[in-house]
């Protein structure tokens, strides 16, 4: 059973943590690897370089939206394709455990599932612009 007294706090905590993760990963691509380096990596995977810029923008905007609670359900859902891409294009061949050399798919899979849970659970407390829900 869901505890209606604490569930909004749980959603808030998960929303902010997911937002920080997306911001950190987008920031890493932007400030550490650089947009050109990230585009080069995407190119080495056979992906169009422009996709790297879209991923950077999505990670930073979704992270910000999650932290602020601006359409957080949609932001969480928007992050899932990026994480699935990371799983299937980068981490899957490296095995399950993220401690494997190069990092397995354990962490991005958990992150994607957590994004889905956030979308199902809702925005939580202190959301600046909660995602509209039909039927309410």
């Amino acid at each position: 059973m869901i505890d209606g007294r604490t569930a909004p706090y749980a959603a808030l905590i998960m929303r902010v943590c997911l937002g920080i993760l997306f911001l950190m990963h987008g920031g890493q691509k932007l400030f550490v690897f650089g947009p050109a380096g990230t585009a080069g990596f995407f190119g080495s995977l056979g992906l169009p370089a422009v996709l790297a810029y879209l991923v950077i923008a999505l990670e930073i905007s979704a992270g910000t939206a999650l932290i602020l609670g601006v359409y957080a359900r949609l932001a969480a859902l928007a992050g899932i394709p990026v994480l699935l891409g990371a799983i299937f294009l980068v981490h899957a061949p490296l095995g399950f455990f993220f401690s494997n050399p190069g990092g397995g798919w354990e962490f991005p899979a958990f992150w994607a599932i957590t994004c889905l849970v956030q979308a199902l659970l809702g925005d939580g407390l202190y959301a600046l612009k909660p995602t509209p829900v039909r039927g309410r």
Side-chain angles (χ1 to χ4, degrees):
M1 194 59 144
I2 304 270
D3 186 336
R5 297 169 299 148
T6 59
Y9 294 99
L12 166 68
I13 293 166
M14 184 163 35
R15 187 187 84 220
V16 171
C17 289
L18 286 171
I20 291 169
L21 285 172
F22 275 116
L23 266 183
M24 295 299 289
H25 280 260
Q28 181 185 39
K29 289 174 182 70
L30 184 63
F31 299 115
V32 177
F33 304 137
T38 303
F41 176 70
F42 275 54
S44 75
L45 298 173
L47 299 170
V50 70
L51 190 58
Y53 298 95
L54 295 173
V55 167
I56 291 169
L58 185 134
E59 288 180 340
I60 291 172
S61 61
T64 303
L66 283 160
I67 290 169
L68 297 176
V70 177
Y71 297 116
R73 287 177 160 193
L74 298 176
L77 288 174
I80 293 174
V82 171
L83 294 165
L84 293 176
I87 291 168
F88 293 113
L89 298 172
V90 180
H91 296 284
L94 304 173
F96 174 74
F97 294 105
F98 204 67
S99 59
N100 291 352
W105 56 272
E106 171 185 21
F107 174 69
F110 180 76
W111 189 358
I113 291 166
T114 308
C115 284
L116 178 60
V117 171
Q118 181 73 57
L120 293 170
L121 183 59
D123 300 292
L125 291 177
Y126 310 117
L128 295 182
K129 184 133 180 92
T131 309
V133 179
R134 292 183 189 192
R136 286 191 182 179

